[in-house]
Amino acid sequence: MEETFEQRKKYCLNKLDLSKKGSVDEDIQHVVYLINSCKDLFTTSSCSGRIILFDGFPNNSDVQKKGCVWLFVAHSKCTFDDLMSGLSRSTNDAVLKFEPFVLHVQCRRLEDAQLMVLQESSGCPVLR
């Protein structure tokens, strides 16, 4: 049986947040909640942007987050001392990574996605 949009939305919004942080970033909560209040849209992933310092992999040139040790992470401004404190715990070559804002939204129809991109009104307060 094919899963309906409503079933996917309900499942996604009720499932456990498996991110390392475990919750929606405070700076973008209002946007996420507003999108999720629309009947034809829901968020599947979001991040307000972050700075990550993690132990690198000495035998691998790829920068990967899975399975690595996070030395420091911030979703807002950080200080030099914050980074130096993280570096003091490093056992390999440390990697500093900046990830900008990201928001993944699932739309009921292609037209809903196009309206989001064009920022036109579709009866949803997000798109006005």
Side-chain angles (χ1 to χ4, degrees):
M1 181 174 180
E2 189 174 317
E3 191 178 42
T4 67
F5 179 86
E6 287 83 7
Q7 289 170 323
R8 287 191 310 273
K9 180 173 181 172
K10 182 178 179 181
Y11 171 77
C12 191
L13 297 182
N14 290 317
K15 72 178 182 177
L16 202 57
D17 186 334
L18 298 177
S19 66
K20 279 195 178 214
K21 184 170 180 270
S23 63
V24 175
D25 296 342
E26 187 175 330
D27 288 343
I28 59 170
Q29 278 181 350
H30 62 290
V31 174
V32 169
Y33 295 146
L34 190 58
I35 289 171
N36 290 336
S37 72
C38 299
K39 71 180 186 90
D40 296 326
L41 312 170
F42 67 94
T43 59
T44 60
S45 178
S46 65
C47 179
S48 63
R50 64 183 168 197
I51 298 163
I52 308 168
L53 179 66
F54 56 92
D55 262 354
F57 299 92
N59 298 324
N60 187 346
S61 62
D62 293 338
V63 175
Q64 301 175 357
K65 291 183 293 188
K66 290 195 186 247
C68 68
V69 175
W70 289 31
L71 303 169
F72 175 78
V73 62
H75 292 266
S76 58
K77 291 180 182 178
C78 67
T79 67
F80 178 78
D81 290 340
D82 292 332
L83 294 175
M84 293 310 292
S85 176
L87 277 174
S88 71
R89 295 188 305 278
S90 178
T91 59
N92 293 304
D93 290 337
V95 175
L96 178 65
K97 187 172 184 184
F98 170 74
E99 297 178 329
F101 169 77
V102 64
L103 181 67
H104 297 137
V105 178
Q106 187 165 9
C107 303
R108 182 183 301 271
R109 297 174 302 272
L110 176 61
E111 294 80 17
D112 299 322
Q114 291 169 331
L115 286 171
M116 284 195 69
V117 172
L118 296 174
Q119 298 180 2
E120 293 180 4
S121 175
S122 71
C124 174
V126 165
L127 304 177
R128 288 188 182 184

mmCIF file of all heavy atoms in Angstrom, residues 86-116:
data_model
loop_
_atom_site.group_PDB
_atom_site.id
_atom_site.type_symbol
_atom_site.label_atom_id
_atom_site.label_comp_id
_atom_site.label_asym_id
_atom_site.label_seq_id
_atom_site.Cartn_x
_atom_site.Cartn_y
_atom_site.Cartn_z
ATOM 1 N N GLY A 86 38.892 22.925 22.411
ATOM 2 C CA GLY A 86 38.625 21.723 21.616
ATOM 3 C C GLY A 86 39.890 21.122 21.058
ATOM 4 O O GLY A 86 40.094 19.905 21.092
ATOM 5 N N LEU A 87 40.760 21.971 20.538
ATOM 6 C CA LEU A 87 42.030 21.495 19.971
ATOM 7 C C LEU A 87 42.878 20.774 21.009
ATOM 8 O O LEU A 87 43.609 19.833 20.682
ATOM 9 C CB LEU A 87 42.822 22.657 19.387
ATOM 10 C CG LEU A 87 42.455 23.084 17.974
ATOM 11 C CD1 LEU A 87 43.218 24.345 17.583
ATOM 12 C CD2 LEU A 87 42.722 21.964 16.985
ATOM 13 N N SER A 88 42.801 21.190 22.255
ATOM 14 C CA SER A 88 43.611 20.571 23.303
ATOM 15 C C SER A 88 43.239 19.097 23.518
ATOM 16 O O SER A 88 44.021 18.331 24.067
ATOM 17 C CB SER A 88 43.483 21.350 24.612
ATOM 18 O OG SER A 88 42.196 21.158 25.173
ATOM 19 N N ARG A 89 42.052 18.685 23.061
ATOM 20 C CA ARG A 89 41.610 17.294 23.207
ATOM 21 C C ARG A 89 41.860 16.459 21.947
ATOM 22 O O ARG A 89 41.552 15.275 21.912
ATOM 23 C CB ARG A 89 40.124 17.268 23.570
ATOM 24 C CG ARG A 89 39.836 17.886 24.925
ATOM 25 C CD ARG A 89 38.399 17.678 25.360
ATOM 26 N NE ARG A 89 37.390 18.139 24.415
ATOM 27 C CZ ARG A 89 36.978 19.398 24.294
ATOM 28 N NH1 ARG A 89 37.504 20.331 25.061
ATOM 29 N NH2 ARG A 89 36.052 19.727 23.424
ATOM 30 N N SER A 90 42.435 17.057 20.926
ATOM 31 C CA SER A 90 42.652 16.368 19.662
ATOM 32 C C SER A 90 43.788 15.356 19.767
ATOM 33 O O SER A 90 44.804 15.601 20.405
ATOM 34 C CB SER A 90 42.982 17.392 18.569
ATOM 35 O OG SER A 90 43.243 16.738 17.352
ATOM 36 N N THR A 91 43.603 14.201 19.134
ATOM 37 C CA THR A 91 44.645 13.184 19.083
ATOM 38 C C THR A 91 45.160 12.973 17.662
ATOM 39 O O THR A 91 46.105 12.224 17.454
ATOM 40 C CB THR A 91 44.130 11.841 19.631
ATOM 41 O OG1 THR A 91 43.010 11.424 18.851
ATOM 42 C CG2 THR A 91 43.736 11.967 21.096
ATOM 43 N N ASN A 92 44.539 13.595 16.693
ATOM 44 C CA ASN A 92 44.930 13.512 15.285
ATOM 45 C C ASN A 92 45.042 14.922 14.732
ATOM 46 O O ASN A 92 45.088 15.891 15.476
ATOM 47 C CB ASN A 92 43.869 12.736 14.479
ATOM 48 C CG ASN A 92 43.788 11.284 14.852
ATOM 49 O OD1 ASN A 92 44.780 10.574 14.807
ATOM 50 N ND2 ASN A 92 42.610 10.832 15.253
ATOM 51 N N ASP A 93 45.060 15.000 13.408
ATOM 52 C CA ASP A 93 44.956 16.298 12.766
ATOM 53 C C ASP A 93 43.508 16.745 12.894
ATOM 54 O O ASP A 93 42.599 16.048 12.442
ATOM 55 C CB ASP A 93 45.330 16.217 11.281
ATOM 56 C CG ASP A 93 46.803 15.958 11.062
ATOM 57 O OD1 ASP A 93 47.598 16.268 11.970
ATOM 58 O OD2 ASP A 93 47.157 15.441 9.991
ATOM 59 N N ALA A 94 43.283 17.876 13.520
ATOM 60 C CA ALA A 94 41.916 18.364 13.703
ATOM 61 C C ALA A 94 41.416 19.007 12.417
ATOM 62 O O ALA A 94 42.184 19.552 11.634
ATOM 63 C CB ALA A 94 41.868 19.365 14.850
ATOM 64 N N VAL A 95 40.108 18.935 12.220
ATOM 65 C CA VAL A 95 39.453 19.523 11.055
ATOM 66 C C VAL A 95 38.442 20.544 11.550
ATOM 67 O O VAL A 95 37.624 20.251 12.422
ATOM 68 C CB VAL A 95 38.744 18.441 10.210
ATOM 69 C CG1 VAL A 95 37.969 19.067 9.062
ATOM 70 C CG2 VAL A 95 39.742 17.410 9.700
ATOM 71 N N LEU A 96 38.502 21.755 10.998
ATOM 72 C CA LEU A 96 37.539 22.806 11.307
ATOM 73 C C LEU A 96 36.620 22.932 10.107
ATOM 74 O O LEU A 96 37.078 23.105 8.978
ATOM 75 C CB LEU A 96 38.251 24.133 11.568
ATOM 76 C CG LEU A 96 37.357 25.335 11.858
ATOM 77 C CD1 LEU A 96 36.602 25.134 13.168
ATOM 78 C CD2 LEU A 96 38.187 26.608 11.912
ATOM 79 N N LYS A 97 35.333 22.851 10.357
ATOM 80 C CA LYS A 97 34.365 22.868 9.259
ATOM 81 C C LYS A 97 33.236 23.838 9.586
ATOM 82 O O LYS A 97 32.724 23.850 10.705
ATOM 83 C CB LYS A 97 33.803 21.460 9.054
ATOM 84 C CG LYS A 97 32.922 21.332 7.835
ATOM 85 C CD LYS A 97 32.574 19.884 7.582
ATOM 86 C CE LYS A 97 31.770 19.778 6.305
ATOM 87 N NZ LYS A 97 31.330 18.418 6.051
ATOM 88 N N PHE A 98 32.864 24.646 8.596
ATOM 89 C CA PHE A 98 31.708 25.523 8.722
ATOM 90 C C PHE A 98 30.622 25.002 7.806
ATOM 91 O O PHE A 98 30.859 24.755 6.628
ATOM 92 C CB PHE A 98 32.047 26.960 8.334
ATOM 93 C CG PHE A 98 30.819 27.820 8.235
ATOM 94 C CD1 PHE A 98 30.156 28.246 9.374
ATOM 95 C CD2 PHE A 98 30.287 28.154 7.000
ATOM 96 C CE1 PHE A 98 29.000 29.009 9.288
ATOM 97 C CE2 PHE A 98 29.136 28.911 6.901
ATOM 98 C CZ PHE A 98 28.494 29.341 8.047
ATOM 99 N N GLU A 99 29.433 24.804 8.355
ATOM 100 C CA GLU A 99 28.284 24.369 7.567
ATOM 101 C C GLU A 99 27.219 25.450 7.642
ATOM 102 O O GLU A 99 26.786 25.815 8.734
ATOM 103 C CB GLU A 99 27.744 23.037 8.096
ATOM 104 C CG GLU A 99 28.746 21.916 7.966
ATOM 105 C CD GLU A 99 28.253 20.597 8.539
ATOM 106 O OE1 GLU A 99 27.469 20.607 9.499
ATOM 107 O OE2 GLU A 99 28.681 19.568 8.014
ATOM 108 N N PRO A 100 26.777 25.978 6.502
ATOM 109 C CA PRO A 100 25.779 27.048 6.506
ATOM 110 C C PRO A 100 24.379 26.512 6.798
ATOM 111 O O PRO A 100 24.162 25.306 6.903
ATOM 112 C CB PRO A 100 25.863 27.601 5.082
ATOM 113 C CG PRO A 100 26.329 26.452 4.261
ATOM 114 C CD PRO A 100 27.223 25.635 5.162
ATOM 115 N N PHE A 101 23.427 27.418 6.917
ATOM 116 C CA PHE A 101 22.015 27.098 7.127
ATOM 117 C C PHE A 101 21.539 26.103 6.073
ATOM 118 O O PHE A 101 21.872 26.215 4.891
ATOM 119 C CB PHE A 101 21.197 28.399 7.029
ATOM 120 C CG PHE A 101 19.724 28.196 6.953
ATOM 121 C CD1 PHE A 101 18.990 27.887 8.085
ATOM 122 C CD2 PHE A 101 19.064 28.324 5.744
ATOM 123 C CE1 PHE A 101 17.613 27.708 8.023
ATOM 124 C CE2 PHE A 101 17.686 28.153 5.670
ATOM 125 C CZ PHE A 101 16.968 27.843 6.814
ATOM 126 N N VAL A 102 20.756 25.127 6.517
ATOM 127 C CA VAL A 102 20.146 24.171 5.589
ATOM 128 C C VAL A 102 18.744 23.841 6.094
ATOM 129 O O VAL A 102 18.506 23.768 7.303
ATOM 130 C CB VAL A 102 20.990 22.880 5.436
ATOM 131 C CG1 VAL A 102 21.073 22.112 6.737
ATOM 132 C CG2 VAL A 102 20.454 21.993 4.332
ATOM 133 N N LEU A 103 17.827 23.707 5.166
ATOM 134 C CA LEU A 103 16.447 23.375 5.506
ATOM 135 C C LEU A 103 15.894 22.484 4.398
ATOM 136 O O LEU A 103 15.848 22.901 3.241
ATOM 137 C CB LEU A 103 15.607 24.650 5.629
ATOM 138 C CG LEU A 103 14.152 24.483 6.013
ATOM 139 C CD1 LEU A 103 14.032 23.962 7.448
ATOM 140 C CD2 LEU A 103 13.411 25.804 5.887
ATOM 141 N N HIS A 104 15.530 21.263 4.759
ATOM 142 C CA HIS A 104 14.929 20.337 3.793
ATOM 143 C C HIS A 104 13.435 20.301 4.047
ATOM 144 O O HIS A 104 12.997 20.065 5.185
ATOM 145 C CB HIS A 104 15.521 18.937 3.953
ATOM 146 C CG HIS A 104 16.983 18.884 3.676
ATOM 147 N ND1 HIS A 104 17.863 18.176 4.446
ATOM 148 C CD2 HIS A 104 17.727 19.481 2.722
ATOM 149 C CE1 HIS A 104 19.083 18.317 3.982
ATOM 150 N NE2 HIS A 104 19.025 19.117 2.929
ATOM 151 N N VAL A 105 12.668 20.547 3.006
ATOM 152 C CA VAL A 105 11.209 20.592 3.116
ATOM 153 C C VAL A 105 10.606 19.632 2.108
ATOM 154 O O VAL A 105 10.991 19.632 0.935
ATOM 155 C CB VAL A 105 10.681 22.024 2.841
ATOM 156 C CG1 VAL A 105 9.163 22.052 2.898
ATOM 157 C CG2 VAL A 105 11.281 23.012 3.825
ATOM 158 N N GLN A 106 9.669 18.800 2.571
ATOM 159 C CA GLN A 106 8.928 17.940 1.656
ATOM 160 C C GLN A 106 7.598 18.609 1.368
ATOM 161 O O GLN A 106 6.921 19.100 2.276
ATOM 162 C CB GLN A 106 8.712 16.551 2.244
ATOM 163 C CG GLN A 106 8.092 15.615 1.232
ATOM 164 C CD GLN A 106 8.204 14.159 1.649
ATOM 165 O OE1 GLN A 106 8.604 13.835 2.763
ATOM 166 N NE2 GLN A 106 7.836 13.278 0.750
ATOM 167 N N CYS A 107 7.240 18.649 0.095
ATOM 168 C CA CYS A 107 6.003 19.298 -0.347
ATOM 169 C C CYS A 107 5.041 18.254 -0.900
ATOM 170 O O CYS A 107 5.458 17.263 -1.492
ATOM 171 C CB CYS A 107 6.309 20.334 -1.432
ATOM 172 S SG CYS A 107 7.489 21.593 -0.902
ATOM 173 N N ARG A 108 3.761 18.511 -0.720
ATOM 174 C CA ARG A 108 2.739 17.582 -1.209
ATOM 175 C C ARG A 108 2.781 17.473 -2.737
ATOM 176 O O ARG A 108 2.715 16.380 -3.291
ATOM 177 C CB ARG A 108 1.352 18.051 -0.770
ATOM 178 C CG ARG A 108 0.214 17.120 -1.190
ATOM 179 C CD ARG A 108 -1.143 17.673 -0.787
ATOM 180 N NE ARG A 108 -1.269 17.884 0.626
ATOM 181 C CZ ARG A 108 -1.695 16.970 1.509
ATOM 182 N NH1 ARG A 108 -2.060 15.784 1.104
ATOM 183 N NH2 ARG A 108 -1.783 17.274 2.790
ATOM 184 N N ARG A 109 2.895 18.604 -3.405
ATOM 185 C CA ARG A 109 2.861 18.634 -4.866
ATOM 186 C C ARG A 109 4.016 19.490 -5.397
ATOM 187 O O ARG A 109 4.550 20.350 -4.689
ATOM 188 C CB ARG A 109 1.538 19.254 -5.353
ATOM 189 C CG ARG A 109 0.291 18.482 -4.971
ATOM 190 C CD ARG A 109 -0.981 19.247 -5.354
ATOM 191 N NE ARG A 109 -1.046 20.563 -4.735
ATOM 192 C CZ ARG A 109 -1.567 20.809 -3.525
ATOM 193 N NH1 ARG A 109 -2.050 19.830 -2.804
ATOM 194 N NH2 ARG A 109 -1.590 22.034 -3.037
ATOM 195 N N LEU A 110 4.363 19.280 -6.634
ATOM 196 C CA LEU A 110 5.394 20.078 -7.294
ATOM 197 C C LEU A 110 5.040 21.558 -7.240
ATOM 198 O O LEU A 110 5.899 22.407 -6.998
ATOM 199 C CB LEU A 110 5.566 19.629 -8.747
ATOM 200 C CG LEU A 110 6.541 20.450 -9.589
ATOM 201 C CD1 LEU A 110 7.946 20.404 -8.998
ATOM 202 C CD2 LEU A 110 6.545 19.944 -11.023
ATOM 203 N N GLU A 111 3.780 21.867 -7.392
ATOM 204 C CA GLU A 111 3.339 23.263 -7.364
ATOM 205 C C GLU A 111 3.636 23.919 -6.011
ATOM 206 O O GLU A 111 3.973 25.100 -5.947
ATOM 207 C CB GLU A 111 1.841 23.377 -7.681
ATOM 208 C CG GLU A 111 1.468 22.981 -9.089
ATOM 209 C CD GLU A 111 1.367 21.467 -9.308
ATOM 210 O OE1 GLU A 111 1.262 20.703 -8.307
ATOM 211 O OE2 GLU A 111 1.416 21.045 -10.467
ATOM 212 N N ASP A 112 3.514 23.151 -4.927
ATOM 213 C CA ASP A 112 3.824 23.674 -3.594
ATOM 214 C C ASP A 112 5.303 24.025 -3.486
ATOM 215 O O ASP A 112 5.671 25.060 -2.928
ATOM 216 C CB ASP A 112 3.441 22.668 -2.502
ATOM 217 C CG ASP A 112 1.962 22.340 -2.504
ATOM 218 O OD1 ASP A 112 1.146 23.263 -2.741
ATOM 219 O OD2 ASP A 112 1.616 21.168 -2.277
ATOM 220 N N ALA A 113 6.139 23.173 -4.034
ATOM 221 C CA ALA A 113 7.587 23.437 -4.022
ATOM 222 C C ALA A 113 7.917 24.655 -4.870
ATOM 223 O O ALA A 113 8.723 25.501 -4.476
ATOM 224 C CB ALA A 113 8.342 22.218 -4.538
ATOM 225 N N GLN A 114 7.280 24.766 -6.024
ATOM 226 C CA GLN A 114 7.516 25.918 -6.894
ATOM 227 C C GLN A 114 7.075 27.208 -6.216
ATOM 228 O O GLN A 114 7.749 28.231 -6.319
ATOM 229 C CB GLN A 114 6.791 25.729 -8.231
ATOM 230 C CG GLN A 114 7.418 24.635 -9.062
ATOM 231 C CD GLN A 114 6.573 24.233 -10.254
ATOM 232 O OE1 GLN A 114 5.345 24.334 -10.228
ATOM 233 N NE2 GLN A 114 7.228 23.753 -11.294
ATOM 234 N N LEU A 115 5.970 27.161 -5.485
ATOM 235 C CA LEU A 115 5.503 28.345 -4.773
ATOM 236 C C LEU A 115 6.486 28.756 -3.680
ATOM 237 O O LEU A 115 6.695 29.939 -3.446
ATOM 238 C CB LEU A 115 4.114 28.100 -4.166
ATOM 239 C CG LEU A 115 2.963 28.095 -5.163
ATOM 240 C CD1 LEU A 115 1.677 27.634 -4.492
ATOM 241 C CD2 LEU A 115 2.790 29.458 -5.793
ATOM 242 N N MET A 116 7.074 27.761 -3.024
ATOM 243 C CA MET A 116 8.082 28.097 -2.005
ATOM 244 C C MET A 116 9.263 28.810 -2.640
ATOM 245 O O MET A 116 9.754 29.801 -2.115
ATOM 246 C CB MET A 116 8.578 26.837 -1.290
ATOM 247 C CG MET A 116 7.621 26.291 -0.289
ATOM 248 S SD MET A 116 8.399 25.108 0.800
ATOM 249 C CE MET A 116 9.480 26.151 1.749
#
